[in-house]
C-alpha cells in the first residue's frame, strides 16, 4: 500500500504539475532510473525493486495491479507533462524564425509512439476481480482521467490541423495516423474502459465524467482519414495533365513539321521537270523557225510569178 501511495503522488505531480515543470521532472526521473541506489544496490524506480517483498495469496492480486500501475506512472512521467500539453498546445510563434510544420512539433512521430504505449498501459490498469480496494480505486480513477485527457488533447490538435487548408504545414500521412489512432483506439476504447470501471468506482464514492469533452466532428475526421488517398489522386491528376500537355505539344510539333514539308515540296521543282520544260521551249523555238522559212518561200514564189 505504501508503494501504491508513493506511485500515486508521482502520478499526481506529473499530471497536475505546471507545464513548465514537466521538462525538469522528465529529466530528473530519467537520471534516477540510470542511477544505482547505494543501499539496495539497484537502480531507482526499478520494477523489480518496486515489487520486492513477500508475496502471499491475500496480496497476489493487489501486487499484480501495482505492477501494472507502476509501469503506467513511470511511463507517463517520462513521456508527457500535465494535461498532455506537448500534444494539445499551439506551437509558439517566433517572428525571427519560420513556423515549423505541426508534424515536427505537437503531432510528431515520437509523440505518436509514446501516446500508443501510454494508452495501452492505461487500459491495462482496469480493476480486475479481487483487486478492488480504496487505494487501487483511487489510482484507477486517475488513470481513467488521464485517458480522457489524452483523447481530448489529440482532439484539440486535430481540430486545429484539419480546419486549416494547409494542415499547418504538416505531413498528410502523419496526420492520417493520428486520425486513425483517435478513431480506432482513443475514442472507442476509452469509452469502454470508463464504462466498465465506473461500476466499481461507485462503491468508493468516485465518479468519472460520462462525456469525452472536446471531440473531432465526423466530417473533419473523414477528411483526415482520406488525406493520403486525396494526395495520391492529386498526384495522378498532375501526372495525367503533364502527359496530356506533352502529347498535345508533340502533336502540334508533328503538324508543324508536316506543314513545313508541304510548303517545301510546293516551292521546289524536281530537276526532271525543269529538263522537260527546257525541251518543250526548244521545240517551240524550232517551230517558229519553220514558220519563218515557210513564209520566206511564199514570198519567193510570188516574186517568180511577177517576173
Amino acid at each position: 500500500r505504501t508503494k501504491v501511495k508513493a506511485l500515486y503522488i508521482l502520478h499526481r505531480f506529473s499530471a497536475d504539475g505546471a507545464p513548465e515543470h514537466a521538462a525538469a521532472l522528465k529529466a530528473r526521473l530519467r537520471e534516477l532510473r540510470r542511477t544505482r541506489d547505494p543501499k539496495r544496490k539497484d537502480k531507482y524506480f526499478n520494477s523489480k525493486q518496486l515489487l520486492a517483498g513477500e508475496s502471499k495469496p491475500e496480496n497476489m492480486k493487489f501486487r499484480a495491479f501495482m505492477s501494472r500501475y507502476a509501469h503506467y506512472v513511470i511511463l507517463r512521467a517520462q513521456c508527457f507533462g500535465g494535461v498532455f500539453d506537448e500534444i494539445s498546445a499551439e506551437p509558439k510563434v517566433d517572428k525571427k524564425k519560420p513556423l515549423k510544420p505541426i508534424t515536427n512539433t505537437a503531432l510528431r512521430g515520437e509523440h505518436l509512439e509514446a501516446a500508443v504505449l501510454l494508452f495501452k498501459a492505461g487500459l491495462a490498469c482496469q480493476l480486475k476481480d479481487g483487486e478492488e480496494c480504496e487505494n487501487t480505486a483511487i489510482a484507477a480513477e486517475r488513470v481513467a482521467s488521464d485517458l480522457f485527457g489524452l483523447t481530448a488533447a489529440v482532439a484539440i490538435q486535430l481540430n486545429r490541423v484539419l480546419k486549416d487548408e494547409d494542415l499547418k504545414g504538416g505531413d498528410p500521412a502523419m496526420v492520417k495516423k493520428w486520425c486513425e489512432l483517435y478513431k480506432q483506439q482513443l475514442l472507442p476504447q476509452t469509452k469502454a474502459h470508463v464504462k466498465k470501471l465506473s461500476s466499481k468506482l461507485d462503491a468508493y464514492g468516485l465518479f468519472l465524467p460520462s462525456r469525452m469533452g472536446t471531440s473531432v466532428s465526423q466530417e473533419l475526421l473523414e477528411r483526415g482519414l482520406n488525406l493520403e488517398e486525396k494526395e495520391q489522386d492529386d498526384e495522378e491528376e498532375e501526372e495525367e495533365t503533364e502527359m496530356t500537355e506533352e502529347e498535345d505539344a508533340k502533336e502540334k510539333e508533328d503538324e508543324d513539321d508536316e506543314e513545313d514539308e508541304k510548303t517545301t515540296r510546293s516551292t521546289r521543282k524536281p530537276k526532271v521537270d525543269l529538263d522537260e520544260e527546257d525541251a518543250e521551249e526548244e521545240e517551240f523555238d524550232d517551230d517558229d523557225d519553220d514558220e519563218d522559212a515557210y513564209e520566206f518561200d511564199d514570198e519567193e514564189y510570188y516574186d517568180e510569178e511577177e517576173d
Side-chain angles (χ1 to χ4, degrees):
R1 291 182 180 181
T2 303
K3 293 177 181 178
V4 171
K5 290 179 181 178
L7 290 169
Y8 181 75
I9 293 172
L10 178 60
H11 186 183
R12 292 300 298 266
F13 188 70
S14 63
D16 300 336
E20 55 268 20
H21 296 162
L25 178 62
K26 293 176 187 178
R28 183 58 178 164
L29 184 59
R30 289 169 183 168
E31 182 183 354
L32 287 172
R33 284 177 61 81
R34 293 192 297 266
T35 304
R36 191 173 297 277
D37 184 2
K39 293 183 179 180
R40 300 187 181 184
K41 308 300 180 182
D42 209 343
K43 294 180 180 179
Y44 292 104
F45 293 100
N46 185 283
S47 57
K48 293 181 180 179
Q49 185 176 345
L50 290 171
L51 294 174
E54 188 178 357
S55 179
K56 300 178 181 179
E58 56 268 21
N59 69 1
M60 286 288 292
K61 293 184 177 180
F62 185 81
R63 286 167 59 85
F65 174 81
M66 187 186 71
S67 174
R68 302 194 303 273
Y69 183 58
H71 174 66
Y72 173 81
V73 171
I74 294 173
L75 185 62
R76 196 222 190 284
Q78 291 182 99
C79 294
F80 298 105
V83 297
F84 300 94
D85 193 61
E86 294 88 346
I87 296 175
S88 62
E90 283 195 80
K92 295 181 179 179
V93 179
D94 189 353
K95 295 181 180 180
K96 298 181 180 179
K97 298 180 181 179
L99 190 64
K100 294 182 180 180
I102 196 67
T103 49
N104 289 352
T105 54
L107 297 183
R108 64 174 182 259
E110 292 83 353
H111 287 171
L112 179 65
E113 294 175 3
V116 171
L117 291 175
L118 186 65
F119 186 69
K120 290 181 179 179
L123 293 178
C125 291
Q126 179 70 252
L127 287 175
K128 299 179 181 179
D129 294 338
E131 294 179 350
E132 304 94 334
C133 73
E134 186 176 3
N135 290 336
T136 57
I138 293 173
E141 184 268 338
R142 293 309 308 169
V143 174
S145 298
D146 273 352
L147 298 184
F148 271 119
L150 177 60
T151 305
V154 174
I156 290 170
Q157 197 60 258
L158 285 179
N159 280 328
R160 291 197 194 104
V161 173
L162 295 175
K163 288 178 181 178
D164 185 72
E165 190 66 26
D166 191 36
L167 300 177
K168 300 288 186 181
D171 177 20
M174 181 59 67
V175 175
K176 182 180 179 181
K177 290 181 180 179
W178 279 99
C179 292
E180 291 173 347
L181 173 65
Y182 178 81
K183 182 179 181 179
Q184 298 173 6
Q185 299 183 45
L186 294 180
L187 192 61
Q189 294 183 29
T190 298
K191 289 181 178 179
H193 179 85
V194 170
K195 184 177 180 181
K196 184 177 180 180
L197 183 63
S198 295
S199 59
K200 297 180 179 180
L201 296 182
D202 290 343
Y204 301 96
L206 301 172
F207 304 98
L208 292 170
S210 57
R211 294 185 179 182
M212 296 297 297
T214 305
S215 61
V216 183
S217 66
Q218 189 65 27
E219 183 181 356
L220 284 177
L221 197 56
E222 288 299 325
R223 185 200 171 197
L225 293 172
N226 296 327
L227 278 175
E228 196 171 10
E229 296 177 1
K230 185 178 180 182
E231 186 182 10
Q232 291 177 356
D233 293 340
D234 293 341
E235 290 179 356
E236 290 177 358
E237 289 180 0
E238 290 179 0
E239 290 178 358
E240 291 177 357
T241 303
E242 290 177 358
M243 290 177 64
T244 304
E245 291 177 354
E246 290 178 358
E247 291 175 357
D248 293 342
K250 188 175 181 181
E251 289 178 359
K252 189 175 180 181
E253 288 179 0
D254 294 339
E255 292 176 357
D256 294 339
D257 293 340
E258 290 179 0
E259 291 179 359
D260 293 341
E261 188 174 353
K262 288 180 180 178
T263 305
T264 304
R265 287 178 180 177
S266 62
T267 56
R268 184 182 60 192
K269 292 185 178 180
K271 185 177 180 182
V272 176
D273 294 343
L274 291 174
D275 294 340
E276 290 177 354
E277 289 181 358
D278 294 340
E280 290 177 355
E281 290 178 357
E282 289 178 357
E283 290 178 359
F284 183 75
D285 294 339
D286 294 340
D287 293 341
D288 293 341
D289 295 340
D290 293 340
E291 290 178 357
D292 295 339
Y294 183 76
E295 291 176 355
F296 179 76
D297 292 341
D298 288 344
E299 291 177 356
E300 290 181 353
Y301 175 76
Y302 288 120
D303 290 339
E304 288 178 356
E305 288 182 351
E306 291 177 356
D307 293 337

